[in-house]
Amino acid sequence: MNYFPIFVEIKERPVLISGGGAMAVAKLRLLMKTSASLVVFAVEAEPQITSWAYEGRLVLFHRPVFAADLKGAALLYITDEAADHHQHIAAMARVNGIPVNIVDNLEGSTFITPAIVDRDPVTIAIGTEGAAPVLARAIKRDLEERLPVHLGLLAKAGKIFRPLAKSLLSGRKHREFWIEYYDDTGPGTIEANGADGLPAALYALLARHVSAETAPGHVDLVGAGPGDPDLLTLKARKALDRADVVIHDQLVAPEILELARREAIIIAAGKKGFGTSTPQEKINALMVAHARAGKHVVRLKSGDPAVFGRLDEEIEALEAAAIDWRIIPGITAASAAIAQIGQSFTCRGRNSSIRFLTGHDVLGFAEQDWRTLARAKEVAAIYMGKKSARFLQGRLLMNNADPNTPITLVENASRAQTRIIATTLAELPGAVDGLQGPTIMLLGLAPRQGAQDADRHAPMELAL
Ligand code: SAH
């Protein structure tokens, strides 16, 4: 990030605009939404600017901007860079610590104006560091459609109530009050009674939260999906958004942790086959301790928490401590992997059941019902199978599996560095060599011819 977004206070402060052409008009339209004092310097100005000056919405000087004008300015916009003396003025502004923006000149500017979604006092600024203004505008359009127009009214009413709410509620209760207001009570009131109903609704809501008992802590056992944040469920997102504590597996992608509430405590509790790991008892103890302290704990597990995630042990620990819990399912790695190779787990006439297997368990390489797995047309997703590739191959061949049985390896399913390797049972041990990331083996399936990665942006190697 080469540009850090901040909001600059410009209330009643001078914002200077050099130039009086179309560019200046465009900037002024934006700046007139603010409470800044606008001062335009233009030897010649568009009629629109002149009429704004007549209306008293800005001050217009029919001359170039001089160094002395910069005193006390909050910002300087140069919209007529071609004029000779602007290099000098821009340099003066920089020396005096006044942020300067030269329209269409990133190098000469010390700040850039983002695309703005305006729901005053809620303002969303979208920037691309000059890389893709068209993209910024597309994002703005999308947000404009999504965010209700009454958002600003909700926030204005909320702002008036903040001191009172803060004096009566604290910590989690305070947060829950505001969540309920912005999620339900506020929008519902505006719809039913208009903005005038907001103060009464806020008082009633506040009274209810003040008298409510302190909510006990609880644990959400949440599936984080295979890696791509877009594959997170809405429920998982909401849980992350409200979490006080997030205890996550080593496989949970950093982009997903980014979605946790900013104040949440993030605890890495890695469990890696054959590697360093946090003992299960320690993870259980962490969940219990934080929930007992009244916290909303999110136990974030990769994929689906119910697939090779030691979910039962965690639930048992929570039950034993009489702590409230619920499961929020996620997309398991096998689902992401099969989507990437364009295949279906089940297929009429081919297989009417599928199996999820693990390559190793607490006893080492995991034994399976090899006889049935070795039959033609069987389909299975094998988790944690890299290390046991040779063992799996041996067991299946011993049970008369066809050495040409297709197997597809999907490394880092749904992540940017994903790889798909199509191989056969005969070639399996060699094919897993060099795989670094988490990998799913799809037994009995080859990638569909011409299958494309659903996201298209992910680089792929198809080693056939
Ligand atoms: N609960 C998880 C599985 C945890 S076991 C789920 O439902 O996906 C860990 C194993 O899952 C890894 O060894 C690997 O085999 C698989 N895995 C997890 N994320 C993966 C990914 N993005 N791509 C491929 N395999 C993955």
Side-chain angles (χ1 to χ4, degrees):
M1 215 194 281
N2 289 326
Y3 290 79
F4 184 68
I6 56 167
F7 289 93
V8 180
E9 210 237 291
I10 54 172
K11 187 180 174 193
E12 286 158 23
R13 293 180 63 198
V15 170
L16 315 187
I17 296 96
S18 169
M23 284 291 191
V25 173
K27 281 283 174 270
L28 284 165
R29 278 193 207 287
L30 199 59
L31 288 163
M32 279 194 308
K33 293 177 178 216
T34 73
S35 53
S37 303
L38 304 177
V39 190
V40 178
F41 297 87
V43 179
E44 280 173 43
E46 290 274 327
Q48 174 70 78
I49 298 181
T50 317
S51 76
W52 280 330
Y54 275 125
E55 289 166 23
R57 300 178 70 181
L58 52 83
V59 176
L60 173 61
F61 291 103
H62 288 286
R63 62 165 174 82
V65 58
F66 298 134
D69 299 318
L70 296 176
K71 199 160 177 285
L75 304 173
L76 169 65
Y77 278 96
I78 297 179
T79 66
D80 54 350
E81 200 195 354
D84 336 318
H85 71 299
H86 282 130
Q87 297 273 16
H88 172 65
I89 289 295
M92 287 289 291
R94 276 193 290 271
V95 168
N96 288 298
I98 296 167
V100 55
N101 175 272
I102 306 176
V103 170
D104 291 335
N105 177 349
L106 204 58
E107 287 78 39
S109 302
T110 60
F111 77 94
I112 40 184
T113 313
I116 293 171
V117 181
D118 174 17
R119 298 285 185 280
D120 182 43
V122 179
T123 315
I124 301 171
I126 305 151
T128 61
E129 302 198 354
V134 175
L135 176 64
R137 279 196 291 279
I139 296 170
K140 170 180 155 70
R141 251 196 328 275
D142 182 40
L143 289 172
E144 291 282 6
E145 277 168 23
R146 261 199 259 185
L147 295 176
V149 273
H150 63 238
L151 195 71
L153 287 174
L154 279 185
K156 273 187 186 136
K159 191 173 177 190
I160 296 169
F161 252 73
R162 267 180 75 83
L164 183 62
K166 221 171 178 173
S167 67
L168 295 173
L169 298 168
S170 62
R172 182 159 155 215
K173 288 187 79 173
H174 183 238
R175 218 167 44 246
E176 278 173 356
F177 162 75
W178 286 118
I179 287 173
E180 192 170 341
Y181 168 65
Y182 284 112
D183 277 6
D184 306 321
T185 315
T189 306
I190 290 196
E191 232 164 72
N193 309 321
D196 290 348
L198 284 177
L202 270 160
Y203 274 118
L205 185 67
L206 193 57
R208 181 153 64 68
H209 279 258
V210 167
S211 61
E213 301 270 300
T214 308
H218 77 279
V219 177
D220 286 333
L221 300 148
V222 180
D228 178 354
D230 279 357
L231 293 180
L232 210 59
T233 64
L234 278 176
K235 265 198 178 159
R237 280 191 97 107
K238 280 189 188 157
L240 280 171
D241 207 34
R242 295 178 185 184
D244 296 308
V245 180
V246 177
I247 304 172
H248 69 91
D249 278 356
Q250 179 246 349
L251 270 181
V252 172
E255 297 90 311
I256 287 173
L257 293 173
E258 285 280 317
L259 299 171
R261 197 164 64 83
R262 201 148 48 105
E263 295 79 10
I265 302 170
I266 312 276
I267 303 172
K271 269 190 288 164
K272 194 174 179 200
F274 308 99
T276 49
S277 55
T278 313
Q280 186 64 49
E281 301 71 49
K282 188 161 174 218
I283 297 174
N284 296 351
L286 273 171
M287 289 193 301
V288 168
H290 284 291
R292 280 212 173 119
K295 306 287 188 216
H296 176 177
V297 180
V298 165
R299 169 73 178 113
L300 196 58
K301 295 153 110 43
S302 78
D304 184 279
V307 178
F308 303 124
R310 300 184 72 172
L311 184 64
D312 295 74
E313 292 165 58
E314 298 188 359
I315 292 175
E316 275 158 28
L318 295 172
E319 289 274 301
I323 286 161
D324 227 29
W325 56 272
R326 68 172 172 158
I327 300 172
I328 299 180
I331 293 185
T332 189
S335 297
I338 200 144
Q340 257 177 255
I341 68 163
Q343 287 290 12
S344 167
F345 273 130
T346 56
C347 175
R348 287 174 74 174
R350 184 188 67 203
N351 64 316
S352 55
S353 72
I354 53 160
R355 277 182 259 188
F356 286 2
L357 314 175
T358 173
H360 68 85
D361 58 20
V362 279
L363 301 173
F365 294 149
E367 287 296 350
Q368 310 287 353
D369 177 3
W370 302 111
R371 196 180 51 78
T372 55
L373 270 173
R375 289 185 308 216
K377 299 184 183 172
E378 285 292 318
V379 173
I382 304 167
Y383 290 72
M384 297 172 275
K386 272 186 302 189
K387 289 248 159 52
S388 48
R390 201 167 281 283
F391 167 80
L392 280 161
Q393 182 200 40
R395 286 289 197 271
L396 287 168
L397 291 177
M398 242 162 52
N399 284 272
N400 300 323
D402 180 350
N404 292 321
T405 304
I407 295 183
T408 307
L409 309 175
V410 184
E411 183 190 26
N412 283 314
S414 90
R415 297 173 187 220
Q417 331 71 12
T418 191
R419 279 205 292 175
I420 295 177
I421 296 169
T423 184
T424 59
L425 183 57
E427 306 290 332
L428 180 63
V432 298
D433 265 0
L435 290 177
Q436 302 290 327
T439 302
I440 283 285
M441 295 182 185
L442 297 167
L443 173 72
L445 292 173
R448 187 182 298 276
Q449 279 298 309
Q452 289 281 318
D453 179 89
D455 284 343
R456 280 164 214 279
H457 63 249
M460 289 205 338
E461 271 178 39
L462 210 54
L464 285 165

